[in-house]
Amino acid sequence: MAPAVAGGGGRRNNEGVNGNAAAPACVCGFPVCACAGAAAVASAASSADMDIVAAGQIGAVNDESWVAVDLSDSDDAPAAGDVQGALDDRPVFRTEKIKGVLLHPYRVLIFVRLIAFTLFVIWRIEHKNPDAMWLWVTSIAGEFWFGFSWLLDQLPKLNPINRVPDLAVLRRRFDHADGTSSLPGLDIFVTTADPIKEPILSTANSILSILAADYPVDRNTCYLSDDSGMLLTYEAMAEAAKFATLWVPFCRKHAIEPRGPESYFELKSHPYMGRAQEEFVNDRRRVRKEYDDFKARINGLEHDIKQRSDSYNAAAGVKDGEPRATWMADGSQWEGTWIEQSENHRKGDHAGIVLVLLNHPSHARQLGPPASADNPLDFSGVDVRLPMLVYVAREKRPGCNHQKKAGAMNALTRASAVLSNSPFILNLDCDHYINNSQALRAGICFMLGRDSDTVAFVQFPQRFEGVDPTDLYANHNRIFFDGTLRALDGLQGPIYVGTGCLFRRITLYGFEPPRINVGGPCFPRLGGMFAKNRYQKPGFEMTKPGAKPVAPPPAATVAKGKHGFLPMPKKAYGKSDAFADTIPRASHPSPYAAEAAVAADEAAIAEAVMVTAAAYEKKTGWGSDIGWVYGTVTEDVVTGYRMHIKGWRSRYCSIYPHAFIGTAPINLTERLFQVLRWSTGSLEIFFSRNNPLFGSTFLHPLQRVAYINITTYPFTALFLIFYTTVPALSFVTGHFIVQRPTTMFYVYLAIVLGTLLILAVLEVKWAGVTVFEWFRNGQFWMTASCSAYLAAVLQVVTKVVFRRDISFKLTSKLPAGDEKKDPYADLYVVRWTWLMITPIIIILVNIIGSAVAFAKVLDGEWTHWLKVAGGVFFNFWVLFHLYPFAKGILGKHGKTPVVVLVWWAFTFVITAVLYINIPHIHGPGRHGAASPSHGHHSAHGTKKYDFTYAWP
């Protein structure tokens, strides 16, 4: 259901793409795509779902569930027969709503389930359990919470919409015949913190994909933030910059997709979009050889740097015990972290570094040289310019709180403002590469379209590679990305999820939107109820080609208030006058007359170093009112929230082939720690001044509900652990949650469960996910709730009560298994952690409880064995949801699913046999001298439990 990017013209070839006829074989031995030039080519894993449309438009992979929304005015409609006018007036993206045949039943079922659940809870309150009041009260509280959390999750999904960018319109309006473009500037931030845990080759591939993306070269700047400050990262980027002089022209010449070299060369097939197949084969073979050499240099950098440093230190006469410097290739000492760390040269204590690896290119196209003996590749018709590339390692000093990733992003924001000051910013993690070369253009469509000046950011979904085929730990998380975030796009917009997000720069400076429209395109009148002034309908579109370009207004008339041209006092932005002067220029960018960036000189670089100093943010608004927000490990969610409460909106952009692809931790321990960090950050927001309960009235009511849900979901652990253990223990104690269920109880329960399943089917349909993904998501929800969520609650409560900071280790993306023999070897590596204790206890309790119930039936203690079936079924439902966790803790033995079932059966049988053969466990009733009927006193004075009805 995600849209499909089509970057160029061409027609669909039914035989070659969707038909049965095989595509013609290429001379290189790889299959060749028959629809040459029609679209960007998907990766091998996802190409089957691609849907190509003509003329560079973007279409939905599965558009059976969606219908277009007409947002145009009658006065704007072109005259009949005016084909050119219709093309010019076409917006840069279109909006689609779910068809009524899916949406109306979906909304009705939510209402029906809410009523049924209310009646169910009323019945539960009326039917108390006097024998175990604590059990009854706790279960009622849990059911209230489950219903409340379901409502928080469901209400924001009442109006999902889909937005599809139109790249053909964008190209027509901004690209010129001479190869230049009027698209606005774009700064891309890539962050890394450890070149060991975050493999440096992955970071280099991310940088190469950015440099090769299809966006105007002179308006694209890439910044790499290295929080480790290690020379290894810098020299790897220098090697990437050298290899880019070959890789980027090769991608442009042959329309290579994807443009991350590692992912491209790992494809089983290499569809070719051009016509000169023989030339492509030769070029590809040459580039592949160069890439293998590049990888060898990257993998050998650590050894080379150490060997070089030892040589320089020996030549300098450094003695044992003296600081041993790390040396650069040019013979100068590295100012960052040394291999043998010492004072002023260790992690957390080093100078700031800003180095320009590739300077800003010229504005005119620069064609490459023809093929020759020195240059076997013919780039005579290819633009060989490269975007600007800057390495940044902010200063760190002891005693300064560097605020982790949020602090790095704020430092990049200031440094980029001094060097390039593009009006838009895209942030990516170092393990995410651009999988679709059109991704940057697709995101910009949502920033330049109708009513887009009120859009703060565009969020792309996170997609991952290297995940095991069964997605054992729900790494893809498509229920959240394609369900929840897409639904929020029909309100005020999706939340910010940390990576793959395109920002309007001024929103990070604390600016307010020009208008308030919290109702979105489908409920525009709702905005007037909460706005500071009446909602003003915008003009047709700021990018309409027929309109005359309007230069930014003079400084004397632009947004001048009590702080001049700034939304806050100048001192809130720091002591750099050069940085403060860039803010008004970034707040009024013109897409037709964008300010051209200039080559970075020494003065600009020195200023960039100054604004990344460790003490720069003292007594400023950075981290509170400006930039990424501090105080939580999930700085992404709270930063987006602070924009939404000002009235800004956001948009969701899901294109196909996927825009960005990253690496997910498939190891159980790393996955649990990742979820622990997210859930802890969510609770930190709830217990802070950014609690969505107290947000401004500019926040859409249902958007507020979504934020409440995202900041309270870890509390589910407290009640879920109760519900996954007490029913099993009830078979031992004889005290059940529902002592005597009636017919109405089963009716209400059936409606609640039945409507939940139907809602899931409808949601799976419009979200474009599979039932298996929905079920796998539910399984990992159970695992996370019993482990990471519970730990998050305990950690945040400790922080709030004892005022203790919470620290987290960086999620390792370095596989521990042997990937050469098994690409998913890391899946079976067991790294024991205390987070595994609770799920293991729950598994054992449910197995033992079921075994005890089975033994009591066999022993004749419970004669109504059919009444036990409901409780035993619930126990196995819990075990089935924890099945992926059980496989994970078995390590290599978990490769065979039968092993898990055998261990469950073994434990079950042993428990039942022990219960039957040890008299003092089940009491003397069956073996005593007298054994009266159930419900009467035995000869020993004990009363046997009458298990007529019981619901766990």
Side-chain angles (χ1 to χ4, degrees):
M1 203 226 53
V5 171
R11 297 182 302 177
R12 177 185 303 185
N13 186 315
N14 292 328
E15 292 185 355
V17 180
N18 297 324
N20 297 323
C26 177
V27 294
C28 65
F30 296 107
V32 177
C33 183
C35 52
V41 180
S43 62
S46 54
S47 59
D49 297 329
M50 185 173 179
D51 183 27
I52 302 169
V53 292
Q57 300 179 46
I58 297 180
V61 171
N62 176 17
D63 57 0
E64 296 179 356
S65 305
W66 300 89
V67 60
V69 179
D70 185 11
L71 299 176
S72 61
D73 300 327
S74 58
D75 296 338
D76 296 329
D82 186 4
V83 180
Q84 186 65 35
L87 179 62
D88 289 341
D89 290 341
R90 198 168 71 190
V92 290
F93 67 87
R94 68 177 185 269
T95 304
E96 300 173 337
K97 292 185 64 175
I98 298 181
K99 292 181 178 179
V101 69
L102 289 177
L103 183 60
H104 299 324
Y106 186 75
R107 291 174 174 174
V108 170
L109 283 173
I110 292 175
F111 181 70
V112 170
R113 188 172 194 270
L114 181 60
I115 294 177
F117 182 80
T118 303
L119 295 175
F120 174 81
V121 173
I122 292 175
W123 186 95
R124 290 278 288 110
I125 294 175
E126 292 176 347
H127 294 74
K128 299 180 177 62
N129 185 356
D131 295 333
M133 287 299 295
W134 70 270
L135 188 62
W136 176 79
V137 171
T138 308
S139 64
I140 290 293
E143 286 160 8
F144 264 117
W145 176 258
F146 290 139
F148 177 67
S149 61
W150 169 81
L151 199 61
L152 291 179
D153 180 67
Q154 207 67 53
L155 286 180
K157 298 179 181 178
L158 289 175
N159 188 54
I161 67 171
N162 189 42
R163 301 181 196 271
V164 185
D166 194 331
L167 299 186
V169 175
L170 188 75
R171 292 183 184 278
R172 178 177 180 82
R173 297 185 183 179
F174 290 97
D175 292 354
H176 310 306
D178 59 356
T180 61
S181 177
S182 300
L183 283 170
L186 176 62
D187 290 339
I188 303 178
F189 295 171
V190 180
T191 54
T192 182
D194 191 324
I196 306 302
K197 290 186 176 181
E198 298 172 326
I200 196 64
L201 182 61
S202 176
T203 304
N205 270 269
S206 176
I207 298 298
L208 288 169
S209 69
I210 293 171
L211 299 179
D214 184 8
Y215 200 80
V217 181
D218 56 330
R219 300 177 185 275
N220 178 10
T221 306
C222 178
Y223 293 86
L224 174 71
S225 171
D226 177 22
D227 256 13
S228 68
M230 296 179 67
L231 180 59
L232 175 62
T233 306
Y234 169 75
E235 294 207 353
M237 294 307 102
E239 290 289 346
K242 294 177 184 177
F243 180 69
T245 59
L246 176 67
W247 172 252
V248 174
F250 169 71
C251 291
R252 292 172 183 165
K253 178 180 178 180
H254 297 291
I256 297 300
E257 297 284 348
R259 299 198 174 180
E262 185 72 17
S263 300
Y264 172 72
F265 289 120
E266 284 183 353
L267 290 179
K268 295 180 180 179
S269 63
H270 296 267
Y272 177 54
M273 307 306 296
R275 301 184 183 278
Q277 296 178 6
E278 281 192 37
E279 186 179 11
F280 163 68
V281 174
N282 295 330
D283 289 354
R284 181 188 172 277
R285 184 181 297 114
R286 176 72 179 184
V287 174
R288 177 60 188 265
K289 180 181 181 301
E290 292 294 333
Y291 179 65
D292 290 339
D293 294 341
F294 165 75
K295 288 175 61 177
R297 292 195 299 272
I298 292 291
N299 294 330
L301 273 178
E302 189 173 4
H303 176 267
D304 293 343
I305 294 173
K306 189 176 188 308
Q307 191 175 48
R308 180 204 310 149
S309 299
D310 290 342
S311 300
Y312 275 109
N313 288 326
V318 178
K319 299 179 181 179
D320 293 340
E322 296 180 352
R324 301 179 63 84
T326 298
W327 295 79
M328 301 176 66
D330 61 1
S332 60
Q333 290 189 5
W334 178 244
E335 296 181 358
T337 303
W338 288 352
I339 297 175
E340 298 183 16
Q341 300 182 21
S342 63
E343 187 177 1
N344 296 324
H345 293 284
R346 60 168 58 98
K347 289 184 179 181
D349 182 16
H350 59 78
I353 306 171
V354 176
L355 297 172
V356 179
L357 292 165
L358 295 171
N359 220 320
H360 196 275
S362 61
H363 295 288
R365 294 185 66 191
Q366 181 181 344
L367 300 181
S372 63
D374 297 331
N375 181 33
L377 275 68
D378 181 12
F379 291 148
S380 57
V382 182
D383 187 358
V384 296
R385 293 176 300 162
L386 297 177
M388 187 176 180
L389 176 61
V390 182
Y391 171 89
V392 178
R394 57 184 173 138
E395 182 190 20
K396 289 188 173 182
R397 295 302 177 194
C400 293
N401 189 345
H402 304 110
Q403 303 296 344
K404 302 181 177 65
K405 182 180 177 180
M409 296 298 290
N410 285 336
L412 281 180
T413 301
R414 297 189 296 270
S416 64
V418 174
L419 296 177
S420 55
N421 200 34
S422 297
F424 299 105
I425 296 172
L426 172 70
N427 85 284
L428 292 174
D429 287 344
C430 63
D431 62 321
H432 279 66
Y433 66 90
I434 297 181
N435 179 64
N436 187 330
S437 62
Q438 309 295 320
L440 306 184
R441 290 177 175 267
I444 284 293
C445 284
F446 297 111
M447 290 294 194
L448 303 179
R450 178 189 181 92
D451 195 20
S452 292
D453 54 347
T454 61
V455 175
F457 61 89
V458 177
Q459 179 64 60
F460 291 83
Q462 294 183 19
R463 308 299 189 194
F464 303 101
E465 64 182 3
V467 178
D468 58 294
T470 61
D471 194 11
L472 197 60
Y473 306 127
N475 281 285
H476 289 305
N477 202 11
R478 290 193 60 195
I479 300 299
F480 173 74
F481 289 113
D482 292 333
T484 302
L485 293 192
R486 192 186 303 278
L488 289 176
D489 205 9
L491 304 176
Q492 202 170 344
I495 63 174
Y496 169 38
V497 293
T499 184
C501 191
L502 178 66
F503 283 96
R504 190 180 300 274
R505 182 182 285 269
I506 62 170
T507 61
L508 297 168
Y509 294 155
F511 281 85
E512 295 183 352
R515 296 176 308 280
I516 305 295
N517 176 19
V518 297
C522 301
F523 303 103
R525 294 183 181 178
L526 185 61
M529 298 172 58
F530 302 94
K532 290 176 289 187
N533 48 44
R534 187 184 179 93
Y535 171 70
Q536 301 175 3
K537 196 170 185 179
F540 178 73
E541 191 164 335
M542 61 181 293
T543 60
K544 185 175 179 181
K548 295 181 179 180
V550 180
T557 62
V558 172
K560 190 170 184 179
K562 64 179 181 179
H563 304 304
F565 308 116
L566 305 178
M568 282 178 281
K570 186 177 179 180
K571 64 180 181 180
Y573 295 92
K575 298 180 180 180
S576 173
D577 292 334
F579 168 69
D581 292 341
T582 67
I583 297 176
R585 294 198 298 271
S587 63
H588 298 280
S590 171
Y592 293 99
E595 182 180 352
V598 296
D601 54 18
E602 293 184 2
I605 294 175
E607 190 69 26
V609 172
M610 193 271 283
V611 297
T612 59
Y616 182 85
E617 295 181 354
K618 288 185 178 180
K619 298 182 180 180
T620 67
W622 289 98
S624 57
D625 300 314
I626 305 172
W628 274 259
V629 179
Y630 301 154
T632 173
V633 294
T634 52
E635 73 289 331
D636 45 6
V637 176
V638 68
T639 299
Y641 166 76
R642 294 294 294 273
M643 296 176 183
H644 279 144
I645 62 175
K646 290 182 178 180
W648 287 101
R649 295 183 295 122
S650 58
R651 282 175 177 160
Y652 182 71
C653 180
S654 177
I655 61 176
Y656 196 89
H658 305 312
F660 314 108
I661 292 183
T663 304
I666 63 173
N667 180 267
L668 176 61
T669 301
E670 294 296 335
R671 179 75 167 117
L672 289 179
F673 274 113
Q674 183 185 60
V675 175
L676 173 62
R677 185 172 67 252
W678 293 343
S679 52
T680 300
S682 296
L683 290 176
E684 285 178 326
I685 297 173
F686 183 80
F687 288 105
S688 70
R689 68 187 183 97
N690 295 306
N691 189 313
L693 289 171
F694 312 112
S696 74
T697 56
F698 300 136
L699 195 64
H700 188 289
L702 294 183
Q703 190 82 16
R704 188 187 307 274
V705 171
Y707 274 112
I708 294 174
N709 181 45
I710 206 69
T711 56
T712 58
Y713 70 88
F715 288 124
T716 301
L718 301 177
F719 302 99
L720 189 63
I721 290 177
F722 171 85
Y723 262 87
T724 53
T725 54
V726 171
L729 293 175
S730 296
F731 289 123
V732 179
T733 63
H735 296 292
F736 292 85
I737 293 177
V738 180
Q739 198 73 7
R740 295 178 180 274
T742 64
T743 303
M744 292 308 300
F745 169 84
Y746 289 114
V747 170
Y748 295 148
L749 185 64
I751 295 175
V752 169
L753 296 179
T755 51
L756 178 64
L757 292 176
I758 298 174
L759 283 170
V761 170
L762 292 175
E763 186 171 332
V764 162
K765 177 67 176 177
W766 62 256
V769 300
T770 64
V771 176
F772 177 79
E773 287 174 319
W774 174 81
F775 181 72
R776 189 63 91 192
N777 186 78
Q779 283 185 312
F780 188 74
W781 171 80
M782 176 78 77
T783 301
S785 298
C786 298
S787 55
Y789 293 178
L790 178 63
V793 173
L794 297 178
Q795 285 188 346
V796 173
V797 169
T798 302
K799 175 183 178 180
V800 172
V801 175
F802 299 103
R803 302 293 180 182
R804 295 180 59 184
D805 290 334
I806 302 174
S807 61
F808 286 95
K809 68 173 186 176
L810 183 67
T811 301
S812 177
K813 304 296 176 65
L814 187 66
D818 188 354
E819 285 195 317
K820 293 182 179 179
K821 295 182 179 179
D822 184 357
Y824 310 115
D826 203 39
L827 184 69
Y828 308 108
V829 176
V830 181
R831 301 176 185 139
W832 289 101
T833 172
W834 60 278
L835 295 176
M836 297 178 178
I837 296 176
T838 308
I840 291 175
I841 292 175
I842 292 174
I843 289 176
L844 293 176
V845 167
N846 279 271
I847 292 177
I848 293 172
S850 300
V852 168
F854 180 70
K856 285 186 176 182
V857 172
L858 292 180
D859 198 35
E861 188 174 350
W862 288 348
T863 57
H864 301 279
W865 63 270
L866 285 176
K867 308 304 179 183
V868 186
V872 173
F873 174 79
F874 181 81
N875 290 354
F876 277 94
W877 178 85
V878 173
L879 292 174
F880 196 62
H881 276 71
L882 291 174
Y883 174 75
F885 172 83
K887 285 191 65 177
I889 62 175
L890 287 177
K892 293 182 179 179
H893 299 290
K895 292 183 179 181
T896 306
V898 177
V899 173
V900 182
L901 299 177
V902 168
W903 276 103
W904 284 358
F906 179 76
T907 308
F908 182 90
V909 171
I910 291 297
T911 305
V913 170
L914 288 176
Y915 183 88
I916 293 174
N917 289 279
I918 301 178
H920 71 272
I921 292 182
H922 54 76
R926 189 177 186 274
H927 302 283
S931 183
S933 61
H934 294 290
H936 298 82
H937 291 276
S938 67
H940 295 273
T942 60
K943 183 178 180 179
K944 299 196 69 172
Y945 175 66
D946 184 4
F947 192 79
T948 306
Y949 292 99
W951 178 262

